[in-house]
Structure formats: C-alpha cells, structure tokens
PDB file of all heavy atoms in Angstrom:
ATOM      1  N   PRO A 261       0.804  -1.217   0.000  1.00 45.00           N
ATOM      2  CA  PRO A 261       0.000   0.000   0.000  1.00 45.00           C
ATOM      3  C   PRO A 261       0.840   1.273   0.000  1.00 45.00           C
ATOM      4  O   PRO A 261       0.440   2.289  -0.526  1.00 45.00           O
ATOM      5  CB  PRO A 261      -0.833  -0.114   1.281  1.00 45.00           C
ATOM      6  CG  PRO A 261      -0.100  -1.072   2.140  1.00 45.00           C
ATOM      7  CD  PRO A 261       0.609  -2.007   1.206  1.00 45.00           C
ATOM      8  N   MET A 262       2.033   1.239   0.558  1.00 44.00           N
ATOM      9  CA  MET A 262       2.860   2.446   0.595  1.00 44.00           C
ATOM     10  C   MET A 262       3.425   2.762  -0.791  1.00 44.00           C
ATOM     11  O   MET A 262       3.704   3.903  -1.096  1.00 44.00           O
ATOM     12  CB  MET A 262       4.002   2.285   1.609  1.00 44.00           C
ATOM     13  CG  MET A 262       3.495   2.075   3.036  1.00 44.00           C
ATOM     14  SD  MET A 262       2.280   3.310   3.564  1.00 44.00           S
ATOM     15  CE  MET A 262       3.325   4.721   3.754  1.00 44.00           C
ATOM     16  N   GLY A 263       3.561   1.741  -1.624  1.00 46.00           N
ATOM     17  CA  GLY A 263       4.071   1.970  -2.964  1.00 46.00           C
ATOM     18  C   GLY A 263       2.981   2.244  -3.980  1.00 46.00           C
ATOM     19  O   GLY A 263       3.248   2.579  -5.118  1.00 46.00           O
ATOM     20  N   ALA A 264       1.739   2.096  -3.549  1.00 48.00           N
ATOM     21  CA  ALA A 264       0.622   2.289  -4.474  1.00 48.00           C
ATOM     22  C   ALA A 264       0.413   3.777  -4.739  1.00 48.00           C
ATOM     23  O   ALA A 264       0.613   4.612  -3.863  1.00 48.00           O
ATOM     24  CB  ALA A 264      -0.653   1.676  -3.902  1.00 48.00           C
ATOM     25  N   GLU A 265       0.007   4.082  -5.951  1.00 50.00           N
ATOM     26  CA  GLU A 265      -0.284   5.466  -6.314  1.00 50.00           C
ATOM     27  C   GLU A 265      -1.515   5.974  -5.574  1.00 50.00           C
ATOM     28  O   GLU A 265      -1.596   7.135  -5.208  1.00 50.00           O
ATOM     29  CB  GLU A 265      -0.494   5.559  -7.828  1.00 50.00           C
ATOM     30  CG  GLU A 265      -0.640   6.970  -8.325  1.00 50.00           C
ATOM     31  CD  GLU A 265      -0.707   7.016  -9.838  1.00 50.00           C
ATOM     32  OE1 GLU A 265      -0.116   6.153 -10.496  1.00 50.00           O
ATOM     33  OE2 GLU A 265      -1.358   7.938 -10.343  1.00 50.00           O
ATOM     34  N   VAL A 266      -2.474   5.096  -5.370  1.00 50.00           N
ATOM     35  CA  VAL A 266      -3.698   5.439  -4.661  1.00 50.00           C
ATOM     36  C   VAL A 266      -3.734   4.613  -3.385  1.00 50.00           C
ATOM     37  O   VAL A 266      -3.535   3.405  -3.428  1.00 50.00           O
ATOM     38  CB  VAL A 266      -4.941   5.140  -5.523  1.00 50.00           C
ATOM     39  CG1 VAL A 266      -6.209   5.428  -4.750  1.00 50.00           C
ATOM     40  CG2 VAL A 266      -4.893   5.948  -6.801  1.00 50.00           C
ATOM     41  N   THR A 267      -3.978   5.264  -2.263  1.00 54.00           N
ATOM     42  CA  THR A 267      -3.999   4.537  -1.001  1.00 54.00           C
ATOM     43  C   THR A 267      -5.221   3.646  -0.909  1.00 54.00           C
ATOM     44  O   THR A 267      -6.284   3.988  -1.411  1.00 54.00           O
ATOM     45  CB  THR A 267      -4.001   5.525   0.176  1.00 54.00           C
ATOM     46  OG1 THR A 267      -5.156   6.352   0.065  1.00 54.00           O
ATOM     47  CG2 THR A 267      -2.755   6.373   0.200  1.00 54.00           C
ATOM     48  N   PRO A 268      -5.073   2.502  -0.243  1.00 52.00           N
ATOM     49  CA  PRO A 268      -6.216   1.605  -0.058  1.00 52.00           C
ATOM     50  C   PRO A 268      -7.308   2.281   0.764  1.00 52.00           C
ATOM     51  O   PRO A 268      -7.067   3.248   1.484  1.00 52.00           O
ATOM     52  CB  PRO A 268      -5.616   0.425   0.704  1.00 52.00           C
ATOM     53  CG  PRO A 268      -4.145   0.537   0.550  1.00 52.00           C
ATOM     54  CD  PRO A 268      -3.845   1.977   0.318  1.00 52.00           C
ATOM     55  N   VAL A 269      -8.499   1.748   0.679  1.00 58.00           N
ATOM     56  CA  VAL A 269      -9.642   2.302   1.399  1.00 58.00           C
ATOM     57  C   VAL A 269      -9.508   2.054   2.897  1.00 58.00           C
ATOM     58  O   VAL A 269      -9.774   2.925   3.710  1.00 58.00           O
ATOM     59  CB  VAL A 269     -10.959   1.670   0.879  1.00 58.00           C
ATOM     60  CG1 VAL A 269     -12.149   2.123   1.705  1.00 58.00           C
ATOM     61  CG2 VAL A 269     -11.163   2.021  -0.584  1.00 58.00           C
ATOM     62  N   ASP A 270      -9.079   0.849   3.266  1.00 57.00           N
ATOM     63  CA  ASP A 270      -9.126   0.432   4.657  1.00 57.00           C
ATOM     64  C   ASP A 270      -7.835  -0.288   5.029  1.00 57.00           C
ATOM     65  O   ASP A 270      -7.705  -1.481   4.773  1.00 57.00           O
ATOM     66  CB  ASP A 270     -10.343  -0.491   4.850  1.00 57.00           C
ATOM     67  CG  ASP A 270     -10.455  -1.035   6.259  1.00 57.00           C
ATOM     68  OD1 ASP A 270     -10.122  -0.311   7.207  1.00 57.00           O
ATOM     69  OD2 ASP A 270     -10.885  -2.198   6.397  1.00 57.00           O
ATOM     70  N   GLY A 271      -6.876   0.424   5.604  1.00 62.00           N
ATOM     71  CA  GLY A 271      -5.610  -0.201   5.986  1.00 62.00           C
ATOM     72  C   GLY A 271      -4.906  -0.768   4.790  1.00 62.00           C
ATOM     73  O   GLY A 271      -4.491  -0.045   3.895  1.00 62.00           O
ATOM     74  N   ASN A 272      -4.789  -2.098   4.753  1.00 73.00           N
ATOM     75  CA  ASN A 272      -4.163  -2.785   3.625  1.00 73.00           C
ATOM     76  C   ASN A 272      -5.189  -3.421   2.708  1.00 73.00           C
ATOM     77  O   ASN A 272      -4.871  -4.322   1.959  1.00 73.00           O
ATOM     78  CB  ASN A 272      -3.215  -3.884   4.132  1.00 73.00           C
ATOM     79  CG  ASN A 272      -1.960  -3.308   4.732  1.00 73.00           C
ATOM     80  OD1 ASN A 272      -1.730  -2.110   4.675  1.00 73.00           O
ATOM     81  ND2 ASN A 272      -1.154  -4.157   5.322  1.00 73.00           N
ATOM     82  N   ARG A 273      -6.446  -2.961   2.799  1.00 75.00           N
ATOM     83  CA  ARG A 273      -7.515  -3.547   1.979  1.00 75.00           C
ATOM     84  C   ARG A 273      -8.090  -2.506   1.026  1.00 75.00           C
ATOM     85  O   ARG A 273      -8.177  -1.336   1.354  1.00 75.00           O
ATOM     86  CB  ARG A 273      -8.647  -4.086   2.862  1.00 75.00           C
ATOM     87  CG  ARG A 273      -8.218  -5.165   3.793  1.00 75.00           C
ATOM     88  CD  ARG A 273      -9.325  -5.777   4.619  1.00 75.00           C
ATOM     89  NE  ARG A 273     -10.377  -4.856   4.986  1.00 75.00           N
ATOM     90  CZ  ARG A 273     -11.648  -5.198   5.136  1.00 75.00           C
ATOM     91  NH1 ARG A 273     -12.038  -6.443   4.958  1.00 75.00           N
ATOM     92  NH2 ARG A 273     -12.553  -4.322   5.488  1.00 75.00           N
ATOM     93  N   ASP A 274      -8.458  -2.991  -0.157  1.00 81.00           N
ATOM     94  CA  ASP A 274      -9.114  -2.124  -1.130  1.00 81.00           C
ATOM     95  C   ASP A 274     -10.343  -2.849  -1.675  1.00 81.00           C
ATOM     96  O   ASP A 274     -10.402  -4.068  -1.713  1.00 81.00           O
ATOM     97  CB  ASP A 274      -8.158  -1.760  -2.267  1.00 81.00           C
ATOM     98  CG  ASP A 274      -8.459  -0.409  -2.878  1.00 81.00           C
ATOM     99  OD1 ASP A 274      -9.515   0.180  -2.565  1.00 81.00           O
ATOM    100  OD2 ASP A 274      -7.643   0.062  -3.678  1.00 81.00           O
ATOM    101  N   TRP A 275     -11.322  -2.080  -2.121  1.00 81.00           N
ATOM    102  CA  TRP A 275     -12.603  -2.568  -2.622  1.00 81.00           C
ATOM    103  C   TRP A 275     -12.500  -2.585  -4.126  1.00 81.00           C
ATOM    104  O   TRP A 275     -12.324  -1.540  -4.752  1.00 81.00           O
ATOM    105  CB  TRP A 275     -13.667  -1.589  -2.130  1.00 81.00           C
ATOM    106  CG  TRP A 275     -15.098  -1.889  -2.366  1.00 81.00           C
ATOM    107  CD1 TRP A 275     -15.942  -1.139  -3.133  1.00 81.00           C
ATOM    108  CD2 TRP A 275     -15.900  -2.924  -1.810  1.00 81.00           C
ATOM    109  NE1 TRP A 275     -17.214  -1.663  -3.085  1.00 81.00           N
ATOM    110  CE2 TRP A 275     -17.211  -2.761  -2.277  1.00 81.00           C
ATOM    111  CE3 TRP A 275     -15.627  -3.996  -0.963  1.00 81.00           C
ATOM    112  CZ2 TRP A 275     -18.257  -3.621  -1.920  1.00 81.00           C
ATOM    113  CZ3 TRP A 275     -16.655  -4.841  -0.610  1.00 81.00           C
ATOM    114  CH2 TRP A 275     -17.956  -4.645  -1.089  1.00 81.00           C
ATOM    115  N   VAL A 276     -12.578  -3.773  -4.742  1.00 92.00           N
ATOM    116  CA  VAL A 276     -12.415  -3.901  -6.195  1.00 92.00           C
ATOM    117  C   VAL A 276     -13.569  -4.704  -6.778  1.00 92.00           C
ATOM    118  O   VAL A 276     -14.274  -5.419  -6.059  1.00 92.00           O
ATOM    119  CB  VAL A 276     -11.077  -4.578  -6.566  1.00 92.00           C
ATOM    120  CG1 VAL A 276      -9.896  -3.743  -6.090  1.00 92.00           C
ATOM    121  CG2 VAL A 276     -11.003  -5.997  -6.038  1.00 92.00           C
ATOM    122  N   TRP A 277     -13.752  -4.581  -8.080  1.00 96.00           N
ATOM    123  CA  TRP A 277     -14.786  -5.347  -8.768  1.00 96.00           C
ATOM    124  C   TRP A 277     -14.383  -6.816  -8.829  1.00 96.00           C
ATOM    125  O   TRP A 277     -13.225  -7.146  -9.065  1.00 96.00           O
ATOM    126  CB  TRP A 277     -14.993  -4.812 -10.176  1.00 96.00           C
ATOM    127  CG  TRP A 277     -15.736  -3.514 -10.232  1.00 96.00           C
ATOM    128  CD1 TRP A 277     -16.267  -2.808  -9.184  1.00 96.00           C
ATOM    129  CD2 TRP A 277     -16.032  -2.761 -11.399  1.00 96.00           C
ATOM    130  NE1 TRP A 277     -16.882  -1.669  -9.637  1.00 96.00           N
ATOM    131  CE2 TRP A 277     -16.750  -1.618 -10.994  1.00 96.00           C
ATOM    132  CE3 TRP A 277     -15.764  -2.945 -12.747  1.00 96.00           C
ATOM    133  CZ2 TRP A 277     -17.206  -0.658 -11.890  1.00 96.00           C
ATOM    134  CZ3 TRP A 277     -16.206  -1.985 -13.649  1.00 96.00           C
ATOM    135  CH2 TRP A 277     -16.931  -0.862 -13.219  1.00 96.00           C
ATOM    136  N   ARG A 278     -15.387  -7.692  -8.663  1.00 96.00           N
ATOM    137  CA  ARG A 278     -15.189  -9.126  -8.848  1.00 96.00           C
ATOM    138  C   ARG A 278     -15.176  -9.358 -10.359  1.00 96.00           C
ATOM    139  O   ARG A 278     -16.207  -9.249 -11.018  1.00 96.00           O
ATOM    140  CB  ARG A 278     -16.327  -9.915  -8.204  1.00 96.00           C
ATOM    141  CG  ARG A 278     -16.369  -9.812  -6.694  1.00 96.00           C
ATOM    142  CD  ARG A 278     -17.570 -10.592  -6.164  1.00 96.00           C
ATOM    143  NE  ARG A 278     -17.730 -10.422  -4.756  1.00 96.00           N
ATOM    144  CZ  ARG A 278     -17.271 -11.268  -3.837  1.00 96.00           C
ATOM    145  NH1 ARG A 278     -16.614 -12.343  -4.220  1.00 96.00           N
ATOM    146  NH2 ARG A 278     -17.478 -11.027  -2.563  1.00 96.00           N
ATOM    147  N   GLU A 279     -14.016  -9.655 -10.888  1.00 96.00           N
ATOM    148  CA  GLU A 279     -13.835  -9.670 -12.336  1.00 96.00           C
ATOM    149  C   GLU A 279     -14.757 -10.647 -13.048  1.00 96.00           C
ATOM    150  O   GLU A 279     -15.389 -10.292 -14.042  1.00 96.00           O
ATOM    151  CB  GLU A 279     -12.365  -9.929 -12.669  1.00 96.00           C
ATOM    152  CG  GLU A 279     -11.483  -8.790 -12.190  1.00 96.00           C
ATOM    153  CD  GLU A 279     -10.010  -9.018 -12.429  1.00 96.00           C
ATOM    154  OE1 GLU A 279      -9.640  -9.971 -13.158  1.00 96.00           O
ATOM    155  OE2 GLU A 279      -9.212  -8.228 -11.875  1.00 96.00           O
ATOM    156  N   GLU A 280     -14.849 -11.883 -12.554  1.00 97.00           N
ATOM    157  CA  GLU A 280     -15.677 -12.881 -13.245  1.00 97.00           C
ATOM    158  C   GLU A 280     -17.145 -12.456 -13.242  1.00 97.00           C
ATOM    159  O   GLU A 280     -17.861 -12.648 -14.238  1.00 97.00           O
ATOM    160  CB  GLU A 280     -15.493 -14.276 -12.631  1.00 97.00           C
ATOM    161  CG  GLU A 280     -16.074 -14.464 -11.234  1.00 97.00           C
ATOM    162  CD  GLU A 280     -15.308 -13.789 -10.081  1.00 97.00           C
ATOM    163  OE1 GLU A 280     -14.156 -13.345 -10.272  1.00 97.00           O
ATOM    164  OE2 GLU A 280     -15.883 -13.698  -8.977  1.00 97.00           O
ATOM    165  N   ARG A 281     -17.606 -11.847 -12.163  1.00 97.00           N
ATOM    166  CA  ARG A 281     -19.011 -11.428 -12.087  1.00 97.00           C
ATOM    167  C   ARG A 281     -19.284 -10.214 -12.967  1.00 97.00           C
ATOM    168  O   ARG A 281     -20.357 -10.104 -13.561  1.00 97.00           O
ATOM    169  CB  ARG A 281     -19.408 -11.170 -10.639  1.00 97.00           C
ATOM    170  CG  ARG A 281     -19.395 -12.463  -9.832  1.00 97.00           C
ATOM    171  CD  ARG A 281     -19.826 -12.268  -8.420  1.00 97.00           C
ATOM    172  NE  ARG A 281     -19.706 -13.536  -7.702  1.00 97.00           N
ATOM    173  CZ  ARG A 281     -19.984 -13.679  -6.438  1.00 97.00           C
ATOM    174  NH1 ARG A 281     -20.434 -12.654  -5.734  1.00 97.00           N
ATOM    175  NH2 ARG A 281     -19.839 -14.852  -5.849  1.00 97.00           N
ATOM    176  N   MET A 282     -18.316  -9.325 -13.051  1.00 97.00           N
ATOM    177  CA  MET A 282     -18.493  -8.165 -13.945  1.00 97.00           C
ATOM    178  C   MET A 282     -18.484  -8.619 -15.401  1.00 97.00           C
ATOM    179  O   MET A 282     -19.276  -8.120 -16.200  1.00 97.00           O
ATOM    180  CB  MET A 282     -17.408  -7.115 -13.688  1.00 97.00           C
ATOM    181  CG  MET A 282     -17.577  -6.379 -12.371  1.00 97.00           C
ATOM    182  SD  MET A 282     -19.159  -5.514 -12.218  1.00 97.00           S
ATOM    183  CE  MET A 282     -19.004  -4.281 -13.486  1.00 97.00           C
ATOM    184  N   HIS A 283     -17.608  -9.561 -15.742  1.00 96.00           N
ATOM    185  CA  HIS A 283     -17.607 -10.091 -17.112  1.00 96.00           C
ATOM    186  C   HIS A 283     -18.970 -10.708 -17.440  1.00 96.00           C
ATOM    187  O   HIS A 283     -19.507 -10.499 -18.531  1.00 96.00           O
ATOM    188  CB  HIS A 283     -16.491 -11.119 -17.308  1.00 96.00           C
ATOM    189  CG  HIS A 283     -15.138 -10.524 -17.493  1.00 96.00           C
ATOM    190  ND1 HIS A 283     -14.805  -9.720 -18.563  1.00 96.00           N
ATOM    191  CD2 HIS A 283     -14.026 -10.599 -16.728  1.00 96.00           C
ATOM    192  CE1 HIS A 283     -13.554  -9.330 -18.456  1.00 96.00           C
ATOM    193  NE2 HIS A 283     -13.048  -9.848 -17.351  1.00 96.00           N
ATOM    194  N   HIS A 284     -19.512 -11.461 -16.495  1.00 97.00           N
ATOM    195  CA  HIS A 284     -20.830 -12.081 -16.706  1.00 97.00           C
ATOM    196  C   HIS A 284     -21.906 -11.013 -16.888  1.00 97.00           C
ATOM    197  O   HIS A 284     -22.722 -11.093 -17.821  1.00 97.00           O
ATOM    198  CB  HIS A 284     -21.174 -13.004 -15.541  1.00 97.00           C
ATOM    199  CG  HIS A 284     -22.537 -13.605 -15.660  1.00 97.00           C
ATOM    200  ND1 HIS A 284     -22.831 -14.610 -16.566  1.00 97.00           N
ATOM    201  CD2 HIS A 284     -23.692 -13.320 -15.027  1.00 97.00           C
ATOM    202  CE1 HIS A 284     -24.103 -14.922 -16.469  1.00 97.00           C
ATOM    203  NE2 HIS A 284     -24.658 -14.152 -15.540  1.00 97.00           N
ATOM    204  N   LEU A 285     -21.935 -10.018 -16.007  1.00 97.00           N
ATOM    205  CA  LEU A 285     -22.920  -8.937 -16.123  1.00 97.00           C
ATOM    206  C   LEU A 285     -22.831  -8.259 -17.484  1.00 97.00           C
ATOM    207  O   LEU A 285     -23.847  -8.032 -18.147  1.00 97.00           O
ATOM    208  CB  LEU A 285     -22.705  -7.899 -15.011  1.00 97.00           C
ATOM    209  CG  LEU A 285     -23.546  -6.626 -15.118  1.00 97.00           C
ATOM    210  CD1 LEU A 285     -25.025  -6.925 -14.912  1.00 97.00           C
ATOM    211  CD2 LEU A 285     -23.059  -5.586 -14.109  1.00 97.00           C
ATOM    212  N   LEU A 286     -21.629  -7.942 -17.908  1.00 97.00           N
ATOM    213  CA  LEU A 286     -21.446  -7.211 -19.167  1.00 97.00           C
ATOM    214  C   LEU A 286     -21.673  -8.093 -20.399  1.00 97.00           C
ATOM    215  O   LEU A 286     -21.830  -7.570 -21.504  1.00 97.00           O
ATOM    216  CB  LEU A 286     -20.060  -6.564 -19.206  1.00 97.00           C
ATOM    217  CG  LEU A 286     -19.841  -5.489 -18.138  1.00 97.00           C
ATOM    218  CD1 LEU A 286     -18.387  -5.049 -18.115  1.00 97.00           C
ATOM    219  CD2 LEU A 286     -20.776  -4.307 -18.345  1.00 97.00           C
ATOM    220  N   SER A 287     -21.732  -9.410 -20.213  1.00 96.00           N
ATOM    221  CA  SER A 287     -22.000 -10.329 -21.318  1.00 96.00           C
ATOM    222  C   SER A 287     -23.484 -10.641 -21.468  1.00 96.00           C
ATOM    223  O   SER A 287     -23.899 -11.188 -22.486  1.00 96.00           O
ATOM    224  CB  SER A 287     -21.240 -11.642 -21.114  1.00 96.00           C
ATOM    225  OG  SER A 287     -19.857 -11.397 -21.137  1.00 96.00           O
ATOM    226  N   THR A 288     -24.264 -10.309 -20.460  1.00 94.00           N
ATOM    227  CA  THR A 288     -25.691 -10.609 -20.477  1.00 94.00           C
ATOM    228  C   THR A 288     -26.413  -9.675 -21.438  1.00 94.00           C
ATOM    229  O   THR A 288     -26.186  -8.476 -21.431  1.00 94.00           O
ATOM    230  CB  THR A 288     -26.282 -10.461 -19.056  1.00 94.00           C
ATOM    231  OG1 THR A 288     -25.552 -11.318 -18.188  1.00 94.00           O
ATOM    232  CG2 THR A 288     -27.751 -10.831 -19.030  1.00 94.00           C
ATOM    233  N   GLU A 289     -27.262 -10.236 -22.280  1.00 93.00           N
ATOM    234  CA  GLU A 289     -28.011  -9.474 -23.286  1.00 93.00           C
ATOM    235  C   GLU A 289     -29.496  -9.543 -22.956  1.00 93.00           C
ATOM    236  O   GLU A 289     -30.252 -10.271 -23.597  1.00 93.00           O
ATOM    237  CB  GLU A 289     -27.760 -10.052 -24.679  1.00 93.00           C
ATOM    238  CG  GLU A 289     -26.336  -9.937 -25.157  1.00 93.00           C
ATOM    239  CD  GLU A 289     -25.999  -8.573 -25.745  1.00 93.00           C
ATOM    240  OE1 GLU A 289     -26.924  -7.799 -26.052  1.00 93.00           O
ATOM    241  OE2 GLU A 289     -24.799  -8.297 -25.903  1.00 93.00           O
ATOM    242  N   ASP A 290     -29.946  -8.820 -21.947  1.00 95.00           N
ATOM    243  CA  ASP A 290     -31.351  -8.913 -21.546  1.00 95.00           C
ATOM    244  C   ASP A 290     -32.042  -7.557 -21.426  1.00 95.00           C
ATOM    245  O   ASP A 290     -33.100  -7.461 -20.819  1.00 95.00           O
ATOM    246  CB  ASP A 290     -31.480  -9.693 -20.232  1.00 95.00           C
ATOM    247  CG  ASP A 290     -30.764  -9.029 -19.076  1.00 95.00           C
ATOM    248  OD1 ASP A 290     -30.056  -8.027 -19.291  1.00 95.00           O
ATOM    249  OD2 ASP A 290     -30.910  -9.516 -17.938  1.00 95.00           O
ATOM    250  N   ALA A 291     -31.452  -6.530 -22.010  1.00 96.00           N
ATOM    251  CA  ALA A 291     -32.057  -5.196 -21.983  1.00 96.00           C
ATOM    252  C   ALA A 291     -31.464  -4.376 -23.131  1.00 96.00           C
ATOM    253  O   ALA A 291     -30.390  -4.692 -23.640  1.00 96.00           O
ATOM    254  CB  ALA A 291     -31.782  -4.509 -20.652  1.00 96.00           C
ATOM    255  N   GLU A 292     -32.172  -3.332 -23.523  1.00 96.00           N
ATOM    256  CA  GLU A 292     -31.635  -2.439 -24.558  1.00 96.00           C
ATOM    257  C   GLU A 292     -30.442  -1.660 -24.054  1.00 96.00           C
ATOM    258  O   GLU A 292     -29.494  -1.405 -24.788  1.00 96.00           O
ATOM    259  CB  GLU A 292     -32.714  -1.456 -25.028  1.00 96.00           C
ATOM    260  CG  GLU A 292     -33.641  -2.020 -26.060  1.00 96.00           C
ATOM    261  CD  GLU A 292     -34.551  -0.935 -26.614  1.00 96.00           C
ATOM    262  OE1 GLU A 292     -34.059   0.163 -26.951  1.00 96.00           O
ATOM    263  OE2 GLU A 292     -35.755  -1.207 -26.713  1.00 96.00           O
ATOM    264  N   VAL A 293     -30.532  -1.254 -22.774  1.00 97.00           N
ATOM    265  CA  VAL A 293     -29.477  -0.444 -22.167  1.00 97.00           C
ATOM    266  C   VAL A 293     -29.164  -1.004 -20.794  1.00 97.00           C
ATOM    267  O   VAL A 293     -30.068  -1.373 -20.042  1.00 97.00           O
ATOM    268  CB  VAL A 293     -29.915   1.034 -22.025  1.00 97.00           C
ATOM    269  CG1 VAL A 293     -28.812   1.865 -21.383  1.00 97.00           C
ATOM    270  CG2 VAL A 293     -30.307   1.625 -23.370  1.00 97.00           C
TER     271      VAL A 293
END
C-alpha cells in the first residue's frame, strides 16, 4: 500500500470489482441499455 499510487480504502484492503461477475454482467443481453 505504501508503494501504491492510490492509497487503499481500509488499511491494507481495497474494494475492487469481482472480475468474473463483472464479465458475466457485461456479457448478459437482456435489456436495450
């Protein structure tokens, strides 16, 4: 965390997107927008 350009949210922890779930969401074709 000390070498990171952006400091973590909570001590040594950061909140990030779950990659596999975001890929699934963005692959779903069930709406116009």
Side-chain angles (χ1 to χ4, degrees):
M262 298 309 288
E265 187 174 330
V266 177
T267 59
V269 174
D270 178 36
N272 287 354
R273 299 184 327 148
D274 209 350
W275 186 243
V276 298
W277 285 358
R278 294 178 186 264
E279 295 177 11
E280 70 287 347
R281 293 182 183 179
M282 288 301 294
H283 282 297
H284 177 73
L285 172 67
L286 296 172
S287 297
T288 303
E289 296 278 345
D290 62 353
E292 277 188 46
V293 180

